[in-house]
Coordinates of all heavy atoms in Angstrom, one line a residue:
I477 N -0.3 -19.3 3.9 CA -0.7 -18.0 4.2 C 0.4 -17.0 4.0 O 1.6 -17.1 4.4 CB -1.1 -17.9 5.7 CG1 -2.4 -18.8 5.9 CG2 -1.5 -16.5 6.1 CD1 -2.9 -18.8 7.4
L478 N 0.1 -15.9 3.3 CA 1.2 -14.8 3.3 C 0.5 -13.5 3.6 O -0.7 -13.2 3.0 CB 1.6 -14.7 1.7 CG 2.5 -13.6 1.2 CD1 3.7 -13.5 2.0 CD2 2.6 -13.6 -0.3
K479 N 1.2 -12.7 4.4 CA 0.6 -11.4 4.8 C 1.8 -10.5 4.7 O 2.9 -10.6 5.0 CB 0.1 -11.3 6.2 CG -1.0 -12.3 6.6 CD -1.5 -12.2 7.9 CE -2.6 -13.2 8.2 NZ -3.1 -13.2 9.6
Y480 N 1.3 -9.1 4.3 CA 2.2 -8.0 4.4 C 1.7 -7.2 5.5 O 0.5 -6.8 5.4 CB 2.3 -7.2 3.0 CG 2.7 -7.8 1.7 CD1 2.4 -7.1 0.5 CD2 3.3 -9.1 1.7 CE1 2.8 -7.7 -0.7 CE2 3.5 -9.6 0.5 CZ 3.3 -9.0 -0.7 OH 3.7 -9.5 -2.0
R481 N 2.5 -6.8 6.4 CA 2.2 -5.9 7.5 C 0.9 -6.4 8.1 O 0.0 -5.6 8.3 CB 2.1 -4.5 7.0 CG 3.3 -3.8 6.5 CD 4.4 -3.5 7.5 NE 5.4 -2.8 7.0 CZ 6.5 -2.5 7.7 NH1 6.7 -2.9 8.9 NH2 7.4 -1.7 7.1
E482 N 0.7 -7.8 8.3 CA -0.5 -8.4 9.0 C -1.7 -8.3 8.2 O -2.8 -8.7 8.6 CB -0.7 -7.7 10.4 CG 0.5 -7.8 11.3 CD 0.4 -7.2 12.6 OE1 -0.7 -6.6 13.0 OE2 1.3 -7.2 13.5
I483 N -1.6 -8.0 6.9 CA -2.7 -8.1 6.0 C -2.6 -9.2 5.0 O -1.6 -9.3 4.3 CB -3.0 -6.6 5.3 CG1 -3.1 -5.6 6.4 CG2 -4.3 -6.7 4.4 CD1 -3.2 -4.1 5.8
D484 N -3.6 -10.0 4.9 CA -3.5 -11.1 4.0 C -3.3 -10.7 2.4 O -4.1 -9.7 2.0 CB -4.8 -11.9 4.0 CG -4.7 -13.4 3.3 OD1 -4.9 -13.5 2.2 OD2 -4.2 -14.3 4.0
I485 N -2.6 -11.5 1.7 CA -2.2 -11.2 0.4 C -3.6 -11.1 -0.5 O -3.8 -10.4 -1.5 CB -1.3 -12.1 -0.2 CG1 -0.7 -11.6 -1.5 CG2 -1.8 -13.4 -0.4 CD1 0.1 -10.2 -1.6
N486 N -4.5 -11.9 -0.1 CA -5.7 -12.0 -0.9 C -6.7 -10.8 -0.9 O -7.3 -10.5 -1.8 CB -6.7 -13.1 -0.5 CG -5.9 -14.5 -0.9 OD1 -6.0 -14.9 -2.1 ND2 -5.4 -15.2 0.1
K487 N -6.4 -9.9 0.2 CA -7.0 -8.6 0.2 C -6.1 -7.6 -0.4 O -6.7 -6.7 -1.0 CB -7.3 -8.2 1.8 CG -8.2 -9.2 2.5 CD -8.3 -8.8 4.0 CE -9.2 -9.6 4.8 NZ -9.5 -9.2 6.2
L488 N -4.8 -7.7 -0.2 CA -3.9 -6.6 -0.7 C -4.1 -6.7 -2.3 O -3.8 -5.6 -2.9 CB -2.5 -6.8 -0.3 CG -2.4 -6.6 1.2 CD1 -1.0 -7.0 1.6 CD2 -2.6 -5.2 1.5
V489 N -4.2 -7.9 -2.9 CA -4.1 -8.0 -4.4 C -5.1 -7.1 -5.1 O -5.0 -6.8 -6.3 CB -4.0 -9.5 -4.8 CG1 -5.5 -9.9 -4.8 CG2 -3.5 -9.6 -6.1
D490 N -6.1 -6.8 -4.4 CA -7.2 -6.0 -5.1 C -7.0 -4.5 -4.9 O -7.8 -3.7 -5.4 CB -8.6 -6.3 -4.5 CG -9.0 -7.7 -5.0 OD1 -8.6 -8.1 -6.0 OD2 -9.7 -8.4 -4.2
L491 N -5.9 -4.0 -4.2 CA -5.6 -2.7 -3.9 C -4.6 -2.2 -5.2 O -4.1 -3.0 -5.8 CB -4.9 -2.5 -2.6 CG -5.8 -2.8 -1.4 CD1 -4.8 -2.7 -0.1 CD2 -6.9 -2.1 -1.3
P492 N -4.6 -0.9 -5.3 CA -3.5 -0.3 -6.2 C -2.0 -0.7 -5.7 O -1.9 -0.7 -4.4 CB -3.7 1.2 -6.2 CG -5.0 1.4 -5.6 CD -5.3 0.3 -4.7
Y493 N -1.2 -0.9 -6.7 CA 0.2 -1.1 -6.2 C 0.6 0.0 -5.3 O 1.5 -0.2 -4.3 CB 1.2 -1.2 -7.4 CG 2.6 -1.5 -7.0 CD1 3.0 -2.8 -6.5 CD2 3.6 -0.5 -6.9 CE1 4.3 -2.8 -6.1 CE2 4.7 -0.5 -6.6 CZ 5.3 -1.9 -6.3 OH 6.6 -2.1 -5.8
D494 N 0.4 1.2 -5.5 CA 0.9 2.4 -4.8 C 0.4 2.2 -3.3 O 1.3 2.5 -2.4 CB 0.3 3.6 -5.3 CG 0.8 4.0 -6.7 OD1 1.7 3.3 -7.3 OD2 0.3 5.1 -7.2
A495 N -0.7 1.6 -3.1 CA -1.3 1.5 -1.7 C -0.4 0.5 -1.1 O -0.1 0.7 0.1 CB -2.7 1.2 -1.7
V496 N -0.1 -0.5 -1.7 CA 0.7 -1.7 -1.1 C 2.1 -1.1 -0.9 O 2.8 -1.4 0.1 CB 0.6 -2.9 -2.0 CG1 1.5 -4.1 -1.4 CG2 -0.7 -3.5 -2.2
S497 N 2.8 -0.4 -1.8 CA 4.0 0.0 -1.6 C 4.1 1.0 -0.3 O 5.1 0.9 0.4 CB 4.4 0.8 -2.8 OG 5.7 1.5 -2.7
Y498 N 3.1 1.9 -0.3 CA 3.0 2.7 0.9 C 3.0 1.9 2.2 O 3.6 2.2 3.2 CB 1.7 3.5 0.8 CG 1.5 4.6 1.9 CD1 1.8 5.9 1.6 CD2 1.1 4.2 3.2 CE1 1.6 6.9 2.7 CE2 0.8 5.2 4.2 CZ 1.1 6.5 3.9 OH 0.8 7.5 4.9
L499 N 2.1 0.8 2.1 CA 2.0 -0.1 3.4 C 3.3 -0.7 3.8 O 3.7 -0.6 4.9 CB 1.0 -1.2 3.0 CG 0.9 -2.3 4.0 CD1 0.3 -1.9 5.3 CD2 0.2 -3.4 3.5
L500 N 4.1 -1.2 2.8 CA 5.3 -1.7 3.1 C 6.4 -0.9 3.6 O 7.1 -1.2 4.7 CB 5.9 -2.5 1.8 CG 5.2 -3.9 1.3 CD1 5.6 -4.1 0.0 CD2 5.5 -4.9 2.4
I501 N 6.4 0.3 3.0 CA 7.5 1.2 3.4 C 7.2 2.0 4.7 O 8.0 2.3 5.4 CB 7.8 2.2 2.2 CG1 8.3 1.4 1.0 CG2 8.8 3.3 2.6 CD1 8.6 2.3 -0.3
L502 N 5.9 2.4 4.6 CA 5.5 3.3 5.8 C 4.8 2.5 7.0 O 4.6 3.2 8.0 CB 4.8 4.5 5.3 CG 5.5 5.4 4.4 CD1 4.7 6.4 3.7 CD2 6.8 5.9 5.0
G503 N 4.4 1.3 6.8 CA 4.0 0.6 8.0 C 2.3 0.4 8.1 O 1.9 -0.6 8.7
D504 N 1.6 1.2 7.4 CA 0.1 1.2 7.5 C -0.4 1.4 6.1 O 0.1 2.1 5.1 CB -0.4 2.2 8.4 CG -0.2 1.8 9.9 OD1 -0.5 0.8 10.4 OD2 0.6 2.5 10.5
L505 N -1.7 0.9 5.9 CA -2.3 1.3 4.6 C -2.7 2.8 4.7 O -3.1 3.3 5.8 CB -3.6 0.6 4.4 CG -3.6 -0.9 3.9 CD1 -4.9 -1.6 3.9 CD2 -2.9 -0.9 2.5
P506 N -2.6 3.5 3.5 CA -2.8 4.8 3.5 C -4.4 5.2 3.4 O -5.1 4.3 2.8 CB -2.2 5.4 2.3 CG -2.3 4.1 1.3 CD -2.0 3.0 2.3
G507 N -4.8 6.2 4.1 CA -6.1 6.8 3.6 C -6.1 7.4 2.3 O -5.2 7.6 1.7
D508 N -7.3 7.9 1.9 CA -7.4 8.5 0.6 C -6.5 9.6 0.4 O -5.8 9.7 -0.7 CB -8.9 8.8 0.3 CG -9.7 7.5 0.1 OD1 -9.1 6.5 -0.2 OD2 -10.9 7.8 0.2
P509 N -6.4 10.5 1.3 CA -5.5 11.8 1.1 C -4.0 11.3 1.0 O -3.3 11.7 0.1 CB -5.8 12.7 2.3 CG -7.2 12.2 2.9 CD -7.1 10.7 2.6
E510 N -3.6 10.4 1.9 CA -2.3 10.0 1.9 C -1.9 9.2 0.7 O -0.7 9.4 0.1 CB -2.1 9.0 3.2 CG -2.1 9.7 4.6 CD -3.5 9.8 5.1 OE1 -4.3 9.2 4.5 OE2 -3.7 10.4 6.1
L511 N -2.8 8.4 0.2 CA -2.6 7.7 -1.1 C -2.5 8.6 -2.3 O -1.6 8.5 -3.2 CB -3.7 6.5 -1.3 CG -3.5 5.8 -2.6 CD1 -2.2 5.1 -2.7 CD2 -4.7 4.8 -2.7
A512 N -3.4 9.6 -2.3 CA -3.3 10.6 -3.4 C -1.9 11.3 -3.4 O -1.4 11.6 -4.5 CB -4.4 11.6 -3.3
E513 N -1.5 11.7 -2.2 CA -0.2 12.4 -2.1 C 1.0 11.5 -2.4 O 1.8 11.8 -3.3 CB 0.0 12.9 -0.7 CG 1.3 13.7 -0.5 CD 1.5 14.2 0.9 OE1 0.6 14.0 1.8 OE2 2.5 14.9 1.2
Y514 N 1.0 10.3 -2.0 CA 2.0 9.4 -2.4 C 2.0 9.0 -3.7 O 3.2 9.0 -4.3 CB 1.9 8.0 -1.5 CG 2.9 7.0 -1.6 CD1 4.1 7.2 -1.1 CD2 2.7 5.8 -2.3 CE1 5.2 6.3 -1.1 CE2 3.7 4.9 -2.5 CZ 4.8 5.2 -1.9 OH 5.9 4.2 -2.0
S515 N 1.0 8.8 -4.4 CA 0.8 8.4 -5.9 C 1.4 9.7 -6.7 O 2.1 9.5 -7.6 CB -0.6 8.0 -6.1 OG -1.1 6.9 -5.6
A516 N 0.9 10.9 -6.3 CA 1.3 12.1 -7.0 C 2.9 12.1 -6.9 O 3.5 12.5 -8.0 CB 0.7 13.3 -6.4
C517 N 3.6 11.8 -5.8 CA 5.0 11.9 -5.8 C 5.6 10.7 -6.7 O 6.6 11.1 -7.3 CB 5.5 11.6 -4.3 SG 5.0 13.0 -3.3
L518 N 5.0 9.6 -6.7 CA 5.5 8.6 -7.5 C 5.5 8.9 -9.0 O 6.3 8.8 -9.7 CB 4.8 7.3 -7.2 CG 5.2 6.5 -5.9 CD1 4.2 5.2 -5.8 CD2 6.6 6.0 -6.0
H519 N 4.2 9.3 -9.4 CA 4.1 9.6 -10.7 C 4.9 10.7 -11.1 O 5.2 10.8 -12.4 CB 2.4 9.9 -11.0 CG 1.6 8.7 -10.6 ND1 0.3 8.8 -11.0 CD2 1.9 7.6 -10.1 CE1 -0.3 7.6 -10.5 NE2 0.7 6.8 -10.0
G520 N 5.1 11.7 -10.2 CA 5.9 12.8 -10.7 C 7.5 12.6 -10.7 O 8.2 13.4 -11.4
E521 N 7.9 11.3 -10.4 CA 9.3 11.0 -10.3 C 9.7 10.0 -11.4 O 10.7 9.5 -11.5 CB 9.8 10.6 -9.0 CG 9.8 11.5 -7.9 CD 11.0 12.6 -8.2 OE1 11.8 12.3 -9.1 OE2 11.1 13.5 -7.2

């Protein structure tokens, strides 16, 4: 068993990498607005 922030890897693997990155760094999965903002920051850098 492998979990990031208490969420099983088999669930996380179907998400965008940006969402998993957000989860690891900020502690929770982002909602749609948070993910959109985070992705925009990543893509812009």
